[in-house]
Amino acid sequence: MFLDGGTSIVAMLKYLEGKKIKIVTHSKLIVSNFQDYNAELFCIGGKLIPEFAMCTGPLTLSGLERFNFDYAFIGCAGIDLKRKLVYTVEMDTMAIKQKAMSLAKKSYLLADSSKFNVTGFCSFISTDDFEAIFSDNQINANAKDIPDNFILIDTNI
């Protein structure tokens, strides 16, 4: 599976503990929070963007192209529910997200409720292109604006 960068993706690591899986990432946050020795972790290098703690650029893309994924878990900077658009903060991370999704059988978006009705520098995909969108149950939106593929998770568990 591919794990994108961002704090929403790091929070997912606890759900993967103990599973015998292979994980590919370009995220320094994933690497520094990874503690499961049942799983194999493959790190893709490239130009490090310290602000986002992830590698990007042509080296990252060429490294990514060598893999195939059953699942890609993608983060974002914002989601516009009315326009059904997902945003990122800059072009290099957009290319990584799009490439990982093209190499995956199924793609999932992980975004906490603070990301909703927030736009970023560039939109990179429609909410309809995800198998499911996972978020905490604190979202404040009209029910008609929430996509059918939206799954709320109780964060009090």
Side-chain angles (χ1 to χ4, degrees), residues 44-47 55-66 96:
I44 300 173
K47 178 185 170 189
C55 293
T56 63
L59 290 174
T60 310
L61 282 172
S62 67
L64 190 59
E65 289 173 351
R66 302 185 193 292
I96 302 297

Side-chain angles (χ1 to χ4, degrees), residues 5 16 24 47 50 66-67 86 88 97 99 111 114 119 126 129-130 138 147 152:
L16 300 176
V24 176
K47 178 185 170 189
R66 302 185 193 292
F67 295 95
V86 181
T88 187
K97 294 170 192 300
K99 176 54 77 176
S114 70
T119 57
S126 168
D129 292 321
F130 290 97
Q138 303 301 309
L152 296 176

Side-chain angles (χ1 to χ4, degrees), residues 1-5 12 16 21-27 30 40-45 59-74 95-108 131:
M1 73 175 53
F2 174 79
L3 296 182
D4 193 14
M12 184 184 153
L16 300 176
I21 55 177
K22 294 179 181 176
I23 299 169
V24 176
T25 190
H26 64 120
S27 170
I30 296 295
E40 292 180 65
L41 182 63
F42 297 85
C43 308
I44 300 173
L59 290 174
T60 310
L61 282 172
S62 67
L64 190 59
E65 289 173 351
R66 302 185 193 292
F67 295 95
N68 292 296
F69 307 112
D70 290 326
Y71 309 104
F73 292 91
I74 306 297
I96 302 297
K97 294 170 192 300
Q98 290 174 327
K99 176 54 77 176
M101 290 179 71
S102 75
L103 297 169
K105 292 177 185 173
K106 294 182 179 182
S107 297
Y108 301 91
E131 187 79 17

